Amino acid sequence: MGIQGLTGFVEERGAFFTELRVRDTKLVIDGSSLYHRLCFASAVDFRRGGDYGAFAATVRDFFASLRACRVAPFVVLDGGRGPEDRKLPTLRGRAAERLRAAQGLSRGEGGCLVPLLTREAFLQALGRLGVPFVQCLAEADREIAGLANRWGCPVLSLDSDFCVFDLAGGYCPLSHFQWQSLAAGEGPRGCYVPARCFAVEKFCRHFGHLNKSLLPLFAVLNGNDYVEAAALEVFFCKAARRGRHGRLQGLLTWLAQFAEPGEALDNVLKYLKKHQREEMRELLCTAMEDYIPSDVNLEDFFQKGRYECEAARALGLPRWVLDALARGKLAPFLSDALVLRSTFLHVQVENMQRPSAHSPALPIRQVIYGLLLKVSHSTEAASPSKQTNELPVVCEFDRLQKTLKKTFVQGASLPTDFCDDHFSLDKLTEVPMSCRLMLLMETLGVKMSFLESIPSHLQLPVAVTCYWIHCSEPKVKLHQLKALLLTIVSGELHSITNDSDPTPVPAEDNSIAYNNFLKWKEKKLQNEDFDLDAAHSFCQWQCCLQMGLYLNQLLGTPLSEPDLSRLYNGTLVHRLYQELKSTPSVENLFSSSPKMTLLYQVLLNTVESTVSPDFFQKMSKTKSESCKKKKASNKKKKAIRSAIPETRHLCDVNRFASLGMDD
């Protein structure tokens, strides 16, 4: 949510804030605002797909600052779009803005774009740090306000809607929360976070003692995520005229003449045509309810781990699904597909002339839809978008060239083992884990035997990488694959040498390899050109990984979830790709560590063994280079193939036909 222009309005007039020393208190944190803020604080390059390690380090530092000031954080995150889907127009607008930002970045212009897996990396970081969090069913604002009022503590966010909520402990904007500059403090209470708190009383006094009960009406009249101000243009032209400070001040001054919201609303409706009044009254009253703190008891969740919500119960979803959503074990993407049969696929900095980077992951999404929507009759009856098709259909919003389009995608027909009624969504957790693992592997086109030599925490990303190699278009280049695998190895090496646990002590050769790696990173790259086609390929890998993660979540994690903070560094993978093209010896970057060298070879051999011996040579630029590689790779792949059966792949998109496209 957000009130148009309000943040800038109050920032320009600093008189609406009071100084606050944040220490020795609970703090309710708007998780969505926080991870966006920390992402932008940690990133210097938004073109290359994100550096999740740097982001996770910033998250760690933020919560370390809170801990030093004895602040107990409780993070509350938005969930899906909600069963009423009231924000759809706003979300379409934001997706279009994201697309424009991605276009600009792809052309070398400035701008910011949250990398695709930032939210997942944030939740993983919270889990590692032991920070309590909850994922709401839909928009979290009302539940944030309700929890903060229950505890009488501040709300930390960057959402102007919290200027309107009646908050007992006040609203602290993240822009004034100086967590990187802790103050020492005086006396026994110790250090604190210097902050500023929005003072609603000062704000109301500034406009002739405006009754704060009128603020929700002010928010919806001015225009928020649910009401467009354009619908009330006649009222603004005739009554709340623009003053010296624009529409906002004119509206607030006009509202100050009324004692309570009902009287003010009646006067607003007088300016509309008679046939418009009742519909507008209902719209405004419904929107004003969004500023009433929720009665959902999140304190009960943080104490007992159970999320009780009337809206969730009304959907008739399985208990295990509701619990997993609340704990962040299922992504909002899954709840949107389940409840609304509609999803958004977020654009990245990709080649806008090519199909969306999400295209290769379509078969994975279709399996997800098939699992989600193979539901019991009671759940399907509760769905607001009940379909009559034998196979379910989901509306996807995705990029088509340089515009946002919606496409209707049919869910996959599941294997025979999953077609029995016993395996509907409400009983999915009862399916033997071996069967769930088999479905995951079959979807990714990899035999589990291929992954036996891979560390368990890397099995899912390696399986996804095999899938990516087979399903990406244009085809993945060998240097791209090697750059990606070297990046994964660098993450493993970083983890070993920087583990907070002093035992076991990392082997000396690992420390030497890591120091050599750091020295290499400090060298200036000769070619810093941005390769848009390579970026597109790495975007495709992230899209495949995202859907692989979601399918793994839905199946109850038959494979370990990888640590994203040590899995992908966009700046590094692009640099490795550029250097491998001109300096092939970079492939030996970790040669001083036998363990890391072996890991890299195992990863590379595993992925290469799933393709034909000449898969990459077909794309080589010179015949001589092709011949040299072919002789070496044939021997290696022949040995591996003799021990490993051939894989089966599900990336034939013809098997999963889309049903149509619309604007």
Side-chain angles (χ1 to χ4, degrees), residues 367-489:
V367 171
I368 289 172
Y369 301 152
L371 281 169
L372 283 172
L373 298 171
K374 187 188 184 315
V375 292
S376 63
H377 293 296
S378 60
T379 308
E380 183 151 339
S383 171
S385 307
K386 184 178 179 182
Q387 302 281 347
T388 57
N389 305 64
E390 182 181 348
L391 292 176
V393 174
V394 173
C395 173
E396 294 185 337
F397 289 93
D398 192 11
R399 177 184 69 80
L400 179 66
Q401 299 293 316
K402 298 179 181 180
T403 59
L404 185 70
K405 296 285 184 178
K406 64 180 179 182
T407 304
F408 294 93
V409 173
Q410 195 173 69
S413 177
L414 299 176
T416 307
D417 290 348
F418 280 80
C419 291
D420 191 278
D421 287 340
H422 180 67
F423 294 152
S424 58
L425 183 65
D426 55 342
K427 296 181 179 179
L428 185 57
T429 54
E430 299 174 17
V431 177
M433 187 60 79
S434 59
C435 293
R436 286 182 262 164
L437 175 61
M438 189 182 302
L439 179 62
L440 176 63
M441 291 291 94
E442 184 174 331
T443 302
L444 297 177
V446 179
K447 295 288 187 182
M448 193 61 203
S449 57
F450 274 51
L451 305 178
E452 288 175 353
S453 59
I454 305 295
S456 60
H457 63 282
L458 293 179
Q459 287 179 341
L460 180 58
V462 168
V464 165
T465 302
C466 295
Y467 175 94
W468 169 64
I469 291 290
H470 281 267
C471 298
S472 289
E473 185 60 44
K475 294 296 183 185
V476 176
K477 296 178 180 177
L478 182 59
H479 291 325
Q480 292 168 355
L481 171 63
K482 289 182 175 180
L484 181 63
L485 297 181
L486 285 168
T487 299
I488 292 174
V489 172

Side-chain angles (χ1 to χ4, degrees), residues 498-516:
N498 291 272
D499 196 327
S500 57
D501 182 0
T503 55
V505 177
E508 184 178 355
D509 50 22
N510 287 333
S511 298
I512 293 172
Y514 188 67
N515 289 330
N516 290 340

Side-chain angles (χ1 to χ4, degrees), residues 593-619:
S593 167
K595 183 176 181 179
M596 293 299 108
T597 300
L598 178 61
L599 175 61
Y600 172 69
Q601 287 299 329
V602 167
L603 297 178
L604 182 61
N605 291 350
T606 299
V607 178
E608 285 192 323
S609 67
T610 67
V611 297
S612 61
D614 61 349
F615 181 87
F616 292 109
Q617 278 69 30
K618 286 180 179 179
M619 296 178 289

